[in-house]
């Protein structure tokens, strides 16, 4: 089964670390990153989808970040 996650955060080094950590756990980049201005908070936000193949059945209560 293929798992999907969308990682997002303010445009800081912490976002890059979040994506790097996911990659180190076997997640793979999926599509292009996104970048948008969050007018409510006055900051730029980044996003990146990642996917991962696992050998288990899907359950809505899965903690995808722990896979």
């Amino acid at each position: 089964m293929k798992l999907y996650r969308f990682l997002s955060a303010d445009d800081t080094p912490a976002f890059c670390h979040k994506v790097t950590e996911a990659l180190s756990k076997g997640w793979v980049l999926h599509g292009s990153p996104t970048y948008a201005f969050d007018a409510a908070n006055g900051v730029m936000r980044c996003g990146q989808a990642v996917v991962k193949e696992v050998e288990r059945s899907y359950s809505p209560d899965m903690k995808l970040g722990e896979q």
Side-chain angles (χ1 to χ4, degrees):
M1 167 181 99
K2 186 176 282 192
L3 301 177
Y4 171 90
R5 292 174 64 197
F6 185 76
L7 307 173
S8 64
D10 292 349
D11 182 20
T12 67
F15 174 74
C16 293
H17 287 283
K18 182 187 280 192
V19 174
T20 299
E21 179 182 22
L23 295 174
S24 74
K25 293 181 176 179
W27 293 85
V28 178
L29 299 176
H30 181 74
S32 299
T34 61
Y35 194 61
F37 183 67
D38 178 350
N41 295 306
V43 297
M44 294 301 292
R45 305 251 321 146
C46 300
Q48 175 65 59
V50 293
V51 294
K52 182 178 184 180
E53 286 287 338
V54 296
E55 293 187 25
R56 64 181 288 192
S57 298
Y58 173 73
S59 171
D61 60 339
M62 293 174 79
K63 295 188 187 309
L64 297 176
E66 296 176 3
Q67 300 302 311

